[in-house]
C-alpha cells in the first residue's frame, strides 16, 4: 500500500494524532531546542511557536503599532517570531544596521524580488556593494541638484490644478470623482490630499527614473502603462521583446504589492508557494507582476527613443560602471529603475501627506512655519521655492523631522541576520542566524530621547532635547550600508514641496480631532487625509 493510500485510510483519531505530531515536530521541538537561545525573551506565546502571529499582524496592516504595544508591555526585548527578536533600544541601531558588524538582510526581502534582485532586495554582500557603488554617486548632493528642475516643473503643474480647485472652492463649486471628488464650502476647496501627493511623487520619479512623467497630475488620474506578460521574457533573456501594454492604477498596484510582500516576507520560505494561492495573496502576487510591467514598459519606451541629452536617473544608471568597467545589462537596468520607482514614490508622497495632516491639525505650528517661509522668501514671486533658499530654515527642518518621527513612514523593524561568530547587542549575545530588528516607530517614541510627550506633534522638541541622543535615535532612512541611498533626493523633494505648498496654501482638517488613519505594508501609509484648502492671499 502506498503512503497516500495509507493516509487516506486513516480514521479521524489517527489524523488528529498525526497533526499533533506534526505541530510538535515543526513548532514545539524547535522551541524547546532553542537554537538561537531566545527562549527566555518575552512575547506572545504563539509568536514563540510559529510565524503565524507576525504573518497575521503584518497582513492586518498595523504591525508597528502592535509591536510597539508589546514593547510597552514587555520592555526592550520582545520575541515576535520563533527566530526574530525585536530590540527597542537606540543603542542597538549601530550594531544591527551599522557598517562592519556583518549583519545581512533576512529572507524577508526575497518576497520583494521581481524581474531580478535590485539594490533594495539584494542580500549578498558583494552583489550589494557592486550595485551600491554604481548607484550611490547618482544620489550624491551635487548630482541630485540636477534633478531640482524636474521637481519644480511638476510642482508647478500641481499648483495649476490646486489653484483651479481653490477658485472653484471659493465659488462653492464641486468636482467629479476623477479629481478626487472635491467640493467647495466656506471659501475653501475640500479634498483628499493623498492622491494628489501620489500623482506628484509618481510624476517626479517617473520623469527621473524613466525619462517621462506618468502624466497623473495633468490627467488627475492614477494610471500608468504596464507591459503584460513581459516579465518572463525579461527574466530569461534580459532583452527587449514586443510587449502588449495595458493601463493600471500604479499607486494602487504599489500599495497592493507593499502589503503583499511585507506579509509574505514574514512567512517561512517553504510556506510561500502555498500561501500565494490564497485569494488575498494572489491579488498581491499579481501586483508584483504589474509593477514589474510598469518598469519594463517605461524603460523599453525610453531606450527605443534612442540617444538623449537628459540628465536623469536612467541616463546616470546607463553611464554607471562596476569595478571591471562593465555597464548594467538590460534586465538589471530595468530592475534598478523599478527599485527607484518603488523606493522613491510613495515614501515621499506618504511623508508629504503626513506632514500636511500634522500641520493642518496644529494651526499654531502651521502659522509659525508660514511666518518663517514668508520672511525667507520675501520679494520672491516664484511659486516654487529653490532648494538653496530653504535648505537651512530651522523651523521648516524641525517640522519635517517631527512629522517623519511621529508618522514613521518606515516604521517596522527591518530584519537583519546575525553573522557567523554571533553578535553582542545591548549587552546580550546572539548566535549566528538569529534575526534581529530595531522598530523605528517605537524608538521614535522613546521618552528618554524625545521627552514625556512623544505622541504630540511638537517641532520645538528638536531645539530642546539632547542633540546627540536625537541624532543617534532618529531613524527615518535607517543606518549603515543599507540605509536609504536616495536620502539627498528625498530631503530636497520634501524641503521644496513643503516650503512651496505651505507658502501658497492654508490647510485645515475636515475632522480636527480624528487621528490619521493608516495602513501598513512595508511602509506606514495614510489611508486618506481630507483637508479644506485655500490660497493664502485670497
Ligand atoms: C521620505 C522619503 C524616504 C524614506 C522615508 C526612505 C526610507 C528608506 C529606508 C528606511 C530604507 C532602508 C530599507 C531597508 O533596509 O529595508 C531605504 C532604502 C532605500 N531607499 Fe529610501 N526613503 C525615501 C526616499 C527615497 C528616494 C526618493 C529614493 C530614490 C529615488 C530612495 C531609494 C532607496 C533605495 C534604492 C534603497 C535601498 C538601498 C540599499 O539597500 O542599498 N528612497 N529608504
Amino acid at each position: 500500500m502506498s503512503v497516500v493510500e495509507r493516509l487516506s485510510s486513516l480514521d479521524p483519531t489517527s489524523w488528529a494524532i498525526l497533526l499533533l505530531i506534526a505541530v510538535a515536530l515543526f513548532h514545539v521541538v524547535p522551541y524547546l531546542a532553542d537554537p538561537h537561545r531566545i527562549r527566555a525573551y518575552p512575547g506572545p506565546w504563539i509568536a514563540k511557536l510559529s510565524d503565524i502571529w507576525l504573518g497575521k499582524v503584518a497582513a492586518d496592516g498595523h504591525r508597528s503599532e502592535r509591536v510597539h504595544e508589546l514593547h510597552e508591555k514587555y520592555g526592550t526585548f520582545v520575541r515576535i517570531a520563533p527566530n526574530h527578536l525585536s530590540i527597542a533600544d537606540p543603542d542597538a541601531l549601530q550594531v544591527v544596521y551599522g557598517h562592519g558588524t556583518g549583519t545581512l538582510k533576512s529572507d524577508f526581502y526575497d518576497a520583494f524580488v521581481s524581474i531580478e534582485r535590485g539594490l533594495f532586495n539584494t542580500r549578498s554582500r558583494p552583489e550589494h556593494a557592486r550595485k551600491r557603488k554604481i548607484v550611490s554617486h547618482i544620489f550624491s548632493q551635487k548630482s541630485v541638484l540636477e534633478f531640482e528642475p524636474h521637481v519644480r516643473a511638476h510642482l508647478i503643474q500641481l499648483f495649476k490644478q490646486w489653484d483651479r480647485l481653490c477658485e472653484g472652492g471659493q465659488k462653492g463649486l464641486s468636482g467629479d470623482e476623477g479629481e478626487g471628488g472635491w467640493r467647495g464650502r466656506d471659501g475653501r476647496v475640500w479634498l483628499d490630499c493623498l492622491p494628489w501627493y501620489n500623482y506628484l511623487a509618481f510624476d517626479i520619479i517617473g520623469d527621473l527614473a524613466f525619462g517621462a512623467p506618468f502624466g497623473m497630475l495633468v490627467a488627475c488620474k492614477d494610471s500608468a502603462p504596464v507591459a503584460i506578460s513581459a516579465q518572463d521574457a525579461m527574466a530569461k533573456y534580459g532583452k527587449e521583446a514586443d510587449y502588449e501594454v495595458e493601463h493600471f492604477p500604479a499607486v494602487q498596484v504599489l500599495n497592493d504589492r507593499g502589503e503583499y510582500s511585507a506579509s509574505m516576507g514574514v512567512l517561512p520560505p517553504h510556506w510561500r508557494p502555498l500561501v500565494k494561492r490564497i485569494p488575498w495573496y494572489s491579488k498581491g502576487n499579481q501586483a508584483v507582476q504589474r509593477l514589474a510591467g510598469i518598469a519594463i514598459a517605461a524603460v523599453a519606451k525610453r531606450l527605443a527613443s534612442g540617444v538623449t541629452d537628459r540628465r536623469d536617473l536612467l541616463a546616470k544608471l546607463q553611464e554607471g560602471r562596476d569595478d571591471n568597467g562593465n555597464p548594467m545589462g538590460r534586465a538589471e537596468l530595468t530592475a534598478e529603475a523599478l527599485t527607484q520607482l518603488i523606493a522613491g514614490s510613495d515614501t515621499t508622497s506618504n511623508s508629504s501627506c503626513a506632514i500636511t495632516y500634522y500641520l493642518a491639525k496644529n494651526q499654531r505650528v502651521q502659522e509659525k512655519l508660514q511666518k518663517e517661509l514668508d520672511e525667507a522668501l520675501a520679494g520672491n514671486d516664484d511659486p516654487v521655492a529653490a532648494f538653496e533658499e530653504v535648505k537651512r530654515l530651522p523651523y521648516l527642518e524641525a517640522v519635517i523631522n517631527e512629522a517623519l518621527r511621529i508618522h514613521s513612514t518606515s516604521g517596522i523593524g527591518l530584519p537583519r541576520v546575525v553573522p557567523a561568530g554571533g553578535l553582542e547587542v545591548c549587552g546580550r549575545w546572539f548566535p549566528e542566524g538569529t534575526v534581529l530588528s530595531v522598530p523605528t516607530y517605537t524608538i521614535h517614541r522613546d521618552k528618554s530621547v524625545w521627552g514625556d510627550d512623544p505622541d504630540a506633534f511638537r517641532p520645538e522638541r528638536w531645539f530642546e532635547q539632547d542633540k546627540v541622543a536625537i541624532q543617534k535615535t532618529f531613524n527615518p532612512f535607517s543606518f549603515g550600508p543599507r540605509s536609504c541611498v536616495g536620502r539627498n533626493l528625498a530631503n530636497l523633494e520634501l524641503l521644496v514641496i513643503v516650503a512651496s505648498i505651505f507658502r501658497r496654501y492654508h490647510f485645515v482638517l475636515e475632522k480636527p480631532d480624528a487621528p490619521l488613519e493608516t495602513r501598513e505594508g512595508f511602509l506606514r501609509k495614510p489611508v486618506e487625509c481630507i483637508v479644506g484648502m485655500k490660497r493664502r492671499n485670497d
Side-chain angles (χ1 to χ4, degrees):
M1 206 193 269
S2 73
V3 178
V4 178
E5 281 166 341
R6 272 168 204 243
L7 284 174
S8 50
S9 68
L10 288 179
D11 58 48
T13 318
S14 310
W15 268 111
I17 294 171
L18 265 185
L19 198 67
L20 275 176
I21 295 173
V23 169
L25 274 179
F26 288 111
H27 300 287
V28 182
V29 171
Y31 172 75
L32 294 174
D34 194 21
H36 300 106
R37 299 192 211 172
I38 53 175
R39 198 165 72 204
Y41 292 99
W45 67 267
I46 189 141
K48 296 177 182 177
L49 290 173
S50 161
D51 293 286
I52 284 180
W53 184 84
L54 194 53
K56 168 90 172 61
V57 165
D60 282 349
H62 296 280
R63 173 171 165 178
S64 288
E65 288 104 311
R66 293 297 88 81
V67 171
H68 182 59
E69 286 158 12
L70 292 182
H71 281 292
E72 288 192 316
K73 181 171 172 190
Y74 295 118
T76 304
F77 295 89
V78 176
R79 191 174 183 180
I80 56 173
N83 181 25
H84 188 161
L85 205 69
S86 176
I87 310 176
D89 186 330
D91 284 334
L93 282 174
Q94 291 298 344
V95 192
V96 176
Y97 302 99
H99 288 273
T101 54
T103 58
L104 288 178
K105 285 193 168 183
S106 74
D107 58 22
F108 171 75
Y109 290 90
D110 293 346
F112 292 80
V113 179
S114 51
I115 304 179
E116 63 175 47
R117 285 182 194 271
L119 183 66
F120 166 75
N121 47 37
T122 294
R123 292 168 59 203
S124 135
R125 185 176 309 285
E127 185 52 19
H128 176 259
R130 181 188 148 269
K131 285 181 184 294
R132 182 103 184 185
K133 184 171 180 288
I134 300 177
V135 173
S136 58
H137 79 271
I138 297 177
F139 290 102
S140 70
Q141 189 56 44
K142 183 166 166 274
S143 175
V144 301
L145 285 177
E146 291 185 51
F147 303 146
E148 192 177 355
H150 298 277
V151 177
R152 190 188 147 74
H154 297 296
L155 254 179
I156 288 177
Q157 187 57 49
L158 176 74
F159 290 167
K160 262 194 204 155
Q161 299 286 22
W162 275 8
D163 286 358
R164 183 173 59 80
L165 301 194
C166 284
E167 236 178 85
Q170 256 199 342
K171 293 179 189 152
L173 304 175
S174 295
D176 62 21
E177 261 318 289
E179 292 178 326
W182 63 274
R183 66 209 132 74
R185 181 170 38 90
D186 307 331
R188 291 178 183 270
V189 57
W190 295 83
L191 49 77
D192 180 2
C193 62
L194 178 61
W196 289 98
Y197 284 126
N198 280 323
Y199 302 162
L200 175 66
F202 269 77
D203 272 351
I204 291 174
I205 203 73
D207 195 355
L208 290 178
F210 301 136
F214 291 108
M216 292 189 189
L217 280 170
V218 173
C220 307
K221 194 172 170 198
D222 170 15
S223 171
V226 175
I228 305 297
S229 351
Q231 200 182 350
D232 283 351
M234 282 297 300
K236 282 186 198 137
Y237 311 114
K239 62 186 181 193
E240 198 172 345
D242 279 338
Y243 307 131
E244 196 189 318
V245 168
E246 262 184 55
H247 281 74
F248 287 100
V251 181
Q252 186 57 48
V253 168
L254 191 54
N255 282 343
D256 290 348
R257 178 264 190 193
E259 288 179 22
Y260 161 81
S261 299
S263 314
M264 185 63 84
V266 296
L267 300 179
H270 55 278
W271 291 13
R272 296 180 195 174
L274 272 180
V275 175
K276 265 186 194 168
R277 294 164 191 257
I278 300 172
W280 184 82
Y281 286 93
S282 69
K283 186 177 138 219
N285 191 31
Q286 190 185 48
V288 173
Q289 313 300 325
R290 286 190 180 154
L291 202 59
I294 293 177
I296 292 168
V299 173
K301 190 171 168 201
R302 162 71 176 270
L303 297 187
S305 67
V307 182
T308 167
D309 56 0
R310 284 178 59 99
R311 304 294 308 142
D312 56 22
L313 287 170
L314 195 58
K316 288 177 187 238
L317 277 177
Q318 283 177 283
E319 286 162 12
R321 296 289 181 271
D322 65 17
D323 281 339
N324 301 321
N326 297 320
M328 288 182 177
R330 173 66 177 270
E332 188 179 16
L333 190 70
T334 309
E336 292 308 336
L338 175 62
T339 298
Q340 290 174 6
L341 168 72
I342 296 171
S345 53
D346 59 353
T347 43
T348 319
S349 58
N350 289 297
S351 302
S352 307
C353 178
I355 295 169
T356 303
Y357 167 83
Y358 284 106
L359 285 171
K361 191 177 172 73
N362 294 277
Q363 291 294 312
R364 175 195 66 80
V365 178
Q366 186 176 166
E367 278 153 29
K368 193 166 164 185
L369 172 68
Q370 281 163 340
K371 186 166 178 287
E372 182 182 72
L373 294 171
D374 289 345
E375 282 167 14
L377 302 168
N380 181 351
D381 291 339
D382 197 327
V384 179
F387 174 66
E388 204 50 39
E389 294 172 304
V390 294
K391 69 180 182 191
R392 278 195 203 91
L393 296 184
Y395 202 65
L396 172 63
E397 194 184 338
V399 162
I400 293 174
N401 285 345
E402 179 69 348
L404 291 180
R405 177 192 72 80
I406 199 166
H407 176 64
S408 302
T409 306
S410 166
I412 64 169
L414 302 164
R416 299 293 185 262
V417 185
V418 171
L423 201 63
E424 190 180 312
V425 189
C426 301
R428 315 282 180 103
W429 189 81
F430 299 98
E432 174 180 0
T434 318
V435 175
L436 304 175
S437 65
V438 183
T440 299
Y441 182 88
T442 299
I443 59 167
H444 279 180
R445 282 160 176 73
D446 185 325
K447 288 188 179 162
S448 69
V449 177
W450 305 104
D452 288 336
D453 59 349
D455 291 320
F457 176 78
R458 211 170 52 77
E460 285 69 19
R461 76 176 76 248
W462 289 80
F463 308 106
E464 300 162 0
Q465 299 300 126
D466 180 67
K467 294 240 168 347
V468 178
I470 283 187
Q471 207 182 1
K472 197 175 79 180
T473 312
F474 187 46
N475 191 41
F477 299 104
S478 192
F479 275 108
R482 305 305 298 255
S483 66
C484 180
V485 77
R487 183 181 185 150
N488 289 330
L489 177 59
N491 266 334
L492 180 142
E493 284 193 53
L494 289 179
L495 283 167
V496 170
I497 289 172
V498 175
S500 307
I501 286 180
F502 280 87
R503 184 182 179 222
R504 193 171 185 86
Y505 304 100
H506 181 262
F507 293 84
V508 291
L509 286 182
E510 185 183 48
K511 296 178 187 152
D513 297 326
L516 182 62
E517 209 190 310
T518 59
R519 184 159 174 88
E520 189 171 33
F522 183 68
L523 301 176
R524 269 191 98 232
K525 303 181 181 191
V527 174
E528 67 170 17
C529 179
I530 310 283
V531 288
M533 180 173 77
K534 65 173 188 179
R535 283 284 302 271
R536 284 183 65 220
N537 57 8
D538 286 345

